[in-house]
Amino acid sequence: MIFDVLTLFPGMFDSPLRESILGRAIVQQLLQVRTHNLRDWAEGKHLSTDDAPYGGGDGMVMKPEPIARAVAELKEKTPDAKVLLMTPQGVPFKQHHAKKLANELGLIFLCGRYEGFDERVRETLVDAEFSIGDFVLTGGELPAMVMIDAISRHLPGVLGSSDSAEIDSFSDGLLEYPQYTRPAVFNGMAVPKILLSGDHGKVAAWRREQQLLRTLQRRPELLERAQLSDSDRKVLDRLRNDKEK
Ligand code: 21W
């Protein structure tokens, strides 16, 4: 997969993507992240990429022409690439988007600064618009990195077999169970006895119940879409009743 990123701050992408799992995946040529400075497609004495908004108001708006020229050039190399606009008004990025986008050959991320993009960028150049959540950032660079990270985990070979993307939290729509490692007692707090019992069946049942409990307590809205077995539903009914008492 080739990720092309158009940004005014290409340096922001250097270390986050080159560390750890993604760094290894890049070395192994499982994916490529190419950052491009939008200013390279700017014109005029000041190489402006932004301008004042028509109609007045504070702040600046990203000019459409440098973006159009840049996208046209990048698409010459990867004609099938999807163009993704990072914007607070985009659809909230979810795990199912990450999984689906991992099937593309190329993705071009447009990262904005200032108050946003000239609306005409959206209309012609963009395949989809994404937000990463309801909070205000200073630009689209961190959202692009978040998406690249989440998408890359689904590319063949990027994750080791022990942490498969399929067994993750959200793959069945539930939060994960609590985890423990040594020591068996830490600051007076013991690891749940069942985890030391060696009874794999009981451990699995306990973990599933903990997943259901956590999701019920912290993210009850996820239960509406979670993949639940008959036995899960029985456990959930019991947990809900326990709560009432
Ligand atoms: C923040 C851009 C605030 C614009 C009209 C007139 C990309 C982002 C961003 C940013 C505004 C994402 C306005 C979650 C984010 C991003 C920078 C507000 C005010 N509109 N996901 N004036 N959060 N943020 N513009 O901030 O570019 S994806």
Side-chain angles (χ1 to χ4, degrees):
M1 162 91 85
I2 297 177
F3 298 99
D4 281 298
V5 182
L6 269 170
T7 168
L8 289 168
F9 301 101
M12 282 183 76
F13 290 79
D14 287 348
S15 93
L17 299 175
R18 277 155 188 79
E19 298 278 351
S20 187
I21 294 175
L22 290 196
R24 194 183 58 208
I26 290 169
V27 169
Q28 294 177 328
Q29 300 190 321
L30 301 173
L31 63 104
Q32 223 179 312
V33 182
R34 305 191 293 211
T35 55
H36 311 272
N37 195 329
L38 188 57
R39 203 166 292 283
D40 295 346
W41 287 273
E43 283 181 336
K45 194 170 74 167
H46 300 289
L47 299 180
S48 323
T49 54
D50 62 322
D51 204 343
Y54 274 115
D58 285 336
M60 299 292 266
V61 175
M62 305 273 292
K63 289 166 67 61
E65 309 99 305
I67 298 175
R69 284 193 286 267
V71 168
E73 192 173 321
L74 296 180
K75 278 211 161 179
E76 280 174 26
K77 284 192 204 148
T78 47
D80 297 327
K82 291 266 175 320
V83 178
L84 310 181
L85 186 76
M86 301 297 103
T87 165
Q89 289 121 64
V91 300
F93 179 64
K94 293 280 155 63
Q95 185 68 6
H96 69 90
H97 297 119
K99 216 168 165 176
K100 187 147 178 246
L101 289 169
N103 297 315
E104 300 291 339
L105 293 174
L107 293 172
I108 299 172
F109 289 83
L110 305 183
C111 307
R113 287 272 147 176
Y114 321 115
E115 291 307 306
F117 297 91
D118 183 299
E119 190 62 24
R120 292 164 293 183
V121 167
R122 297 191 153 78
E123 289 166 13
T124 49
L125 300 171
V126 167
D127 294 298
E129 303 183 25
F130 285 107
S131 159
I132 62 161
D134 294 338
F135 38 80
V136 183
L137 300 169
T138 56
E141 284 78 11
L142 288 168
M145 285 186 249
V146 164
M147 287 185 58
I148 290 169
D149 189 293
I151 294 163
S152 297
R153 298 176 73 261
H154 294 283
L155 301 176
V158 169
L159 292 186
S161 53
S162 65
D163 40 11
S164 140
E166 292 307 318
I167 60 171
D168 270 326
S169 178
F170 293 122
S171 63
D172 60 6
L174 296 176
L175 300 185
E176 283 185 351
Y177 52 79
Q179 305 203 76
Y180 300 87
T181 185
R182 278 179 287 236
V185 181
F186 167 69
N187 284 357
M189 297 174 285
V191 172
K193 259 209 294 293
I194 207 158
L195 297 178
L196 310 174
S197 70
D199 185 333
H200 298 301
K202 278 196 177 148
V203 168
W206 180 84
R207 284 179 168 166
R208 189 70 185 173
E209 176 168 337
Q210 291 293 314
Q211 281 194 279
L212 293 164
L213 179 61
R214 289 218 148 167
T215 310
L216 184 62
Q217 288 171 334
R218 300 181 183 195
R219 300 289 304 279
E221 80 282 8
L222 294 181
L223 292 170
E224 288 158 31
R225 289 165 176 272
Q227 292 169 38
L228 300 176
S229 67
D230 289 348
S231 136
D232 288 335
R233 290 178 199 285
K234 280 189 191 139
V235 173
L236 258 181
D237 283 343
R238 174 165 57 74
L239 292 172
R240 286 193 176 107
N241 284 329
D242 290 353
K243 207 168 66 171
E244 281 165 28
K245 280 178 214 144

